[in-house]
Amino acid sequence: MRAFQRRAPRTLALAGAVTAAALLLAACGGTDDDPMAGMDHGGSSASAAPSAPDASAGSFNDADVMFAQMMIPHHQQALEMAKLADGRAEDAGIKEIVAAVEKAQAPEIRKMKEWLKGWNKPESAGMGHSMAGMMSEQDMKDLAAVKGKDFDRKFAELMIAHHEGAVEMAKQEQKDGANAEAKALAGEVVRTQDAEIAELRKILDRL
C-alpha cells in the first residue's frame, strides 16, 4: 500500500506533463491534415492581393479617336507619294526623305489601327472631316507624271504641305488628347516631320 502511495504522485505528475504538452502542441501547431492551421497569414505580404492596374493608362477621349482616324489616311497618302519616287526621284536627299517616311509612317499606321480596335472605334472618321495638307487626286496624278528634277521639286513642294498638315493635326492632339501613347506619337510626328520640312526646304533651294 505504501509503495502504491509513493508511485501515485509520479504517475499523476507524468500524466499532467503529457496533457500540458498536448495542449501546447495544439496551440502552436496544426493537425497532420492541416499543418498550416493555427498560423497567422494575415500579415504575410506574399498572400496580399496584387494591386489593380491603373485604368487611366488606357483612357482616351474624342480628340484621341479623331487624331488616329484622320492621321491614318494622312499617313497612307504620304506612303503613296513615297512609292511614286521609285524610278522617278533623282536627288539623293529626296530619296532619303522617302526612306524615312516609309520607315516611320507604316508602323505608325499599324499602331493607330490597334488603338482604334482596342477603343472599339471605326478606323474611318466618315465624311465631313477635312485633313490639312492632303493632296488632291490631280496633285497625285501630276506627281506621277514627272521624273528627275521635276519630280524632286514637285515632291518636295507637296510633301512640305503634307507634313505641315500632319504637324498641325499632331499639335492639336497634344493640346486636346487624353491618351498618353497617342500624345507621345503626336510629339514624335511634330519632331520628325518638322525636321523633314526643314530638309525639304534646303533641297528646294538647291534644285
Side-chain angles (χ1 to χ4, degrees):
M1 187 69 179
R2 288 180 182 177
F4 173 77
Q5 288 175 344
R6 285 195 299 269
R7 289 194 299 268
R10 291 183 183 178
T11 304
L12 291 174
L14 181 60
V18 170
T19 302
L23 291 172
L24 183 62
L25 287 171
C28 297
T31 65
D32 292 338
D33 293 335
D34 183 10
M36 301 300 288
M39 295 180 66
D40 180 13
H41 302 290
S44 172
S45 59
S47 62
S51 58
D54 183 8
S56 65
S59 63
F60 65 94
N61 62 12
D62 289 344
D64 299 314
V65 173
M66 186 62 66
F67 171 70
Q69 288 176 333
M70 296 177 72
M71 194 60 81
I72 287 171
H74 204 275
H75 273 17
Q76 286 171 334
Q77 188 178 69
L79 291 175
E80 290 172 10
M81 293 170 69
K83 189 176 180 179
L84 290 175
D86 186 22
R88 295 181 175 86
E90 182 179 285
D91 187 86
I94 290 294
K95 292 179 180 180
E96 288 178 4
I97 294 291
V98 166
V101 166
E102 291 175 335
K103 181 179 179 180
Q105 298 197 23
E108 287 176 355
I109 289 171
R110 290 193 295 270
K111 185 179 293 186
M112 289 185 286
K113 286 182 176 182
E114 288 173 2
W115 293 345
L116 291 170
K117 184 177 180 180
W119 297 339
N120 197 29
K121 298 293 182 179
E123 285 186 10
S124 173
M127 301 298 291
H129 297 284
S130 60
M131 289 171 281
M134 288 290 282
M135 301 298 104
S136 68
E137 185 177 347
Q138 188 60 51
D139 288 330
M140 297 297 288
K141 287 180 179 179
D142 291 344
L143 184 60
V146 290
K147 291 185 178 182
K149 285 189 177 181
D150 289 339
F151 176 89
D152 296 336
R153 188 176 296 106
K154 192 162 194 65
F155 178 89
E157 290 170 349
L158 294 178
M159 191 60 81
I160 287 171
H162 198 271
H163 274 9
E164 286 174 340
V167 169
E168 179 183 327
M169 292 163 60
K171 286 182 176 178
Q172 193 70 37
E173 164 63 13
Q174 287 180 307
K175 177 184 175 184
D176 298 334
N179 185 270
E181 193 175 357
K183 294 179 78 170
L185 188 144
E188 185 66 10
V189 168
V190 172
R191 184 186 68 81
T192 59
Q193 298 199 22
D194 267 346
E196 289 173 3
I197 288 169
E199 186 60 31
L200 286 164
R201 285 177 175 153
K202 290 179 183 178
I203 292 171
L204 274 179
D205 288 342
R206 60 178 167 74
L207 284 177

